[in-house]
């Protein structure tokens, strides 16, 4: 996975998934893979709305550092108000909390090679996930 400028965001990896709208993959990427056969390559660019959504400034908060006590550091996560916030900055007695996904607002590029395609088992269909074989 790369951003729109070609910077690698995640190293290549093998994945399996259950095709057919089971929520294991972005819908736009799943559509790009529809009907593909082993050996085929697919390149797809997903705009933010088709991936992790647009960046929402309303999900950014600045709070007093003393509210969280000692030990808080950038990169840590805080759960509040049904959101998970990532500590992105700390300075001047304040802490910046961001509930956006780290890839929100970014277009993402995927390069996929189809290795195998198989029918799902009854158990996979019942569970809605691809199981190890």
């Amino acid at each position: 996975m790369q951003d729109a400028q070609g910077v690698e965001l995640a190293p290549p990896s093998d994945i399996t998934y259950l095709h057919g709208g089971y929520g294991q993959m972005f819908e736009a990427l799943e559509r790009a893979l529809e009907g593909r056969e082993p050996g085929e390559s697919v390149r797809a660019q997903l705009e933010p709305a088709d991936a992790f959504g647009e960046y929402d400034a309303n999900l950014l908060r600045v709070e007093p550092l003393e509210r969280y006590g000692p030990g808080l550091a950038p990169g840590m996560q805080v759960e509040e108000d049904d959101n998970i916030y990532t500590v992105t900055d700390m300075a001047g007695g304040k802490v910046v909390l961001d509930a956006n996904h780290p890839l929100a607002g970014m277009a993402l590029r995927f390069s996929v090679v189809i290795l195998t395609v198989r029918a799902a088992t009854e158990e996979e269909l019942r569970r809605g996930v691809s199981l190890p074989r």
Side-chain angles (χ1 to χ4, degrees):
M1 179 174 57
Q2 300 175 330
D3 67 13
Q5 289 71 45
V7 174
E8 186 176 273
L9 301 173
S13 63
D14 290 349
I15 65 163
T16 62
Y17 77 101
L18 188 59
H19 192 81
Y22 290 90
Q24 295 178 309
M25 183 173 293
F26 296 121
E27 290 178 22
L29 184 55
E30 190 168 353
R31 283 191 303 273
L33 297 173
E34 180 71 36
R36 302 298 180 141
E37 299 291 331
E40 288 190 67
S41 295
V42 177
R43 290 181 177 256
Q45 179 164 316
L46 276 57
E47 296 304 317
D50 293 322
F52 293 103
E54 296 293 343
Y55 187 86
D56 183 351
N58 293 320
L59 295 176
L60 195 66
R61 293 175 33 187
V62 178
E63 300 287 344
L65 180 58
E66 71 253 9
R67 178 175 178 193
Y68 299 97
L72 195 66
M76 293 179 79
Q77 293 186 323
V78 176
E79 187 173 354
E80 290 185 352
D81 306 324
D82 297 323
N83 286 315
I84 297 176
Y85 293 89
T86 300
V87 176
T88 59
D89 195 18
M90 296 169 58
K94 302 282 185 187
V95 60
V96 179
L97 303 171
D98 190 346
N100 285 285
H101 187 281
L103 300 179
M106 296 178 70
L108 303 175
R109 291 180 181 170
F110 294 86
S111 296
V112 179
V113 176
I114 310 299
L115 300 176
T116 61
V117 176
R118 65 172 176 79
T121 65
E122 286 183 27
E123 183 178 6
E124 288 173 322
L125 292 172
R126 187 174 62 256
R127 289 183 168 189
V129 297
S130 175
L131 298 172
R133 297 198 71 148

